[in-house]
Amino acid sequence: EAQVTQNPRYLITVTGKKLTVTCSQNMNHEYMSWYRQDPGLGLRQIYYSMNVEVTDKGDVPEGYKVSRKEKRNFPLILESPSPNQTSLYFCASSRTVNEKLFFGSGTQLSVL
Amino acid sequence: DAKTTQPNSMESNEEEPVHLPCNHSTISGTDYIHWYRQLPSQGPEYVIHGLTSNVNNRMASLAIAEDRKSSTLILHRATLRDAAVYYCIHPGTYKYIFGTGTRLKVLA
């Protein structure tokens, strides 16, 4: 089944403790991206990757890192999480940038 | 950046058609117009997309204005399962900017 898989589904952590949210797609997609969703603010893009060689910042990249060492995986890294990064995170992928996006099920992160 | 304007909310009666509008005044000639929806407690899901001409699929129809500055998502017969937040975007410069979308309420 074609899908985007995010893990974990829920995560509670403390301020400053490094964490990684994984994202994997099995559709051989070139384009992958990360979003955060906060009440009243909609979906905001954190980072995107056009292909294995290219990643770039979205609208809210501060405090986040990403890695695209292989086509199928696009982990989101929070080196030193802070409470303002408490949010619902979604990973998404598409074959190319103008084609439909497939979303993961989301990761609810709480930073205490 | 590619930004769109949508009404915050709309209501429809069940079994009636729904027309969800979107303005995308900054769209460039090669940007496709995408529509997604997000059901409660789920990730967004693709609905439809198109470039210039009107598009139909099993979920909805997409009507695109001749100047491409606006589009309308048409749900031909709204059901309670269509209650969701609908997002119109056009992925300019590789960024899919979603905004806050239109919350559709379907009345039984």
Side-chain angles (χ1 to χ4, degrees):
Chain A
E1 180 191 353
Q3 61 184 357
V4 178
T5 304
Q6 283 180 240
N7 281 298
R9 185 73 177 86
Y10 300 94
L11 179 58
I12 300 174
T13 189
V14 295
T15 300
K17 186 175 181 182
K18 181 180 178 180
L19 66 91
T20 299
V21 184
T22 64
C23 174
S24 180
Q25 49 90 7
N26 62 0
M27 296 168 280
N28 202 35
H29 284 170
E30 294 286 344
Y31 185 92
M32 296 186 75
S33 62
W34 276 101
Y35 300 86
R36 61 177 288 173
Q37 186 168 37
D38 304 290
L41 295 177
L43 281 157
R44 294 180 292 169
Q45 192 174 46
I46 303 170
Y47 268 95
Y48 65 91
S49 172
M50 292 162 50
N51 53 55
V52 173
E53 297 173 354
V54 181
T55 62
D56 206 350
K57 297 175 181 177
D59 288 333
V60 288
E62 293 77 21
Y64 304 95
K65 286 175 58 178
V66 291
S67 170
R68 190 92 185 270
K69 296 178 181 176
E70 49 188 341
K71 186 185 277 191
R72 66 182 292 122
N73 295 322
F74 192 45
L76 180 69
I77 303 157
L78 285 71
E79 295 270 2
S80 182
S82 62
N84 65 13
Q85 293 178 298
T86 292
S87 187
L88 178 59
Y89 291 86
F90 289 101
C91 178
S93 73
S94 64
R95 197 165 70 95
T96 65
V97 70
N98 255 322
E99 299 194 29
K100 68 178 184 179
L101 275 174
F102 291 80
F103 281 84
S105 300
T107 296
Q108 180 64 59
L109 171 65
S110 295
V111 183
L112 306 177
Chain B
D1 280 346
K3 293 207 164 124
T4 59
T5 305
Q6 299 177 255
N8 287 332
S9 63
M10 292 183 65
E11 279 188 4
S12 172
N13 293 318
E14 200 175 9
E15 302 294 316
E16 290 187 357
V18 182
H19 291 232
L20 297 165
C22 178
N23 289 321
H24 23 83
S25 56
T26 62
I27 196 168
S28 73
T30 57
D31 288 355
Y32 277 72
I33 298 157
H34 290 232
W35 282 82
Y36 293 81
R37 72 180 187 181
Q38 188 172 20
L39 302 170
S41 303
Q42 295 187 26
E45 66 173 347
Y46 167 84
V47 177
I48 199 166
H49 77 295
L51 184 61
T52 55
S53 56
N54 296 344
V55 185
N56 300 292
N57 66 21
R58 64 175 180 81
M59 289 180 72
S61 295
L62 174 60
I64 300 171
E66 196 169 333
D67 65 3
R68 298 198 344 111
K69 301 296 186 185
S70 65
S71 64
T72 302
L73 179 70
I74 303 164
L75 307 179
H76 295 286
R77 290 178 65 197
T79 71
L80 296 177
R81 290 190 300 270
D82 291 322
V85 178
Y86 288 79
Y87 299 95
C88 156
I89 65 169
H90 56 97
T93 59
Y94 310 109
K95 294 182 178 182
Y96 289 80
I97 298 177
F98 276 78
T100 54
T102 297
R103 183 173 296 278
L104 175 65
K105 186 174 181 180
V106 180
L107 306 174

